[in-house]
Amino acid sequence: MDYVSALVPPVVMAAFFIALVRVIVKTQGGAAKAKEDAAVDAALARAEGASRNSAGGDA
């Protein structure tokens, strides 16, 4: 019975890891992908605009 108690924790951790990976894969894309991409693009544009403004103001 020692082998059962030795194998249970790795099997449980593997099951949780597989479940986590499946959730991550399922949540990629879908209806929210366009909204998330737009939010990232807007944040990058703001950061790029701020860096250009600060570089332009120093000259």
Side-chain angles (χ1 to χ4, degrees), residues 5-6 9 13-14 19-20 25 35 42 44 58:
S5 63
M13 286 189 294
L20 175 67
V25 168
K35 190 166 92 172
L44 289 174
D58 292 339

Side-chain angles (χ1 to χ4, degrees), residues 4-22:
V4 173
S5 63
L7 289 177
V8 168
V11 170
V12 170
M13 286 189 294
F16 280 121
F17 181 73
I18 290 169
L20 175 67
V21 169
R22 289 186 67 194

Side-chain angles (χ1 to χ4, degrees):
M1 288 313 246
D2 289 337
Y3 62 90
V4 173
S5 63
L7 289 177
V8 168
V11 170
V12 170
M13 286 189 294
F16 280 121
F17 181 73
I18 290 169
L20 175 67
V21 169
R22 289 186 67 194
V23 167
I24 290 171
V25 168
K26 279 186 173 185
T27 58
Q28 297 301 310
K33 183 170 178 22
K35 190 166 92 172
E36 292 170 0
D37 289 346
V40 169
D41 290 341
L44 289 174
R46 279 194 306 266
E48 189 174 298
S51 68
R52 285 187 180 169
N53 286 342
S54 66
D58 292 339

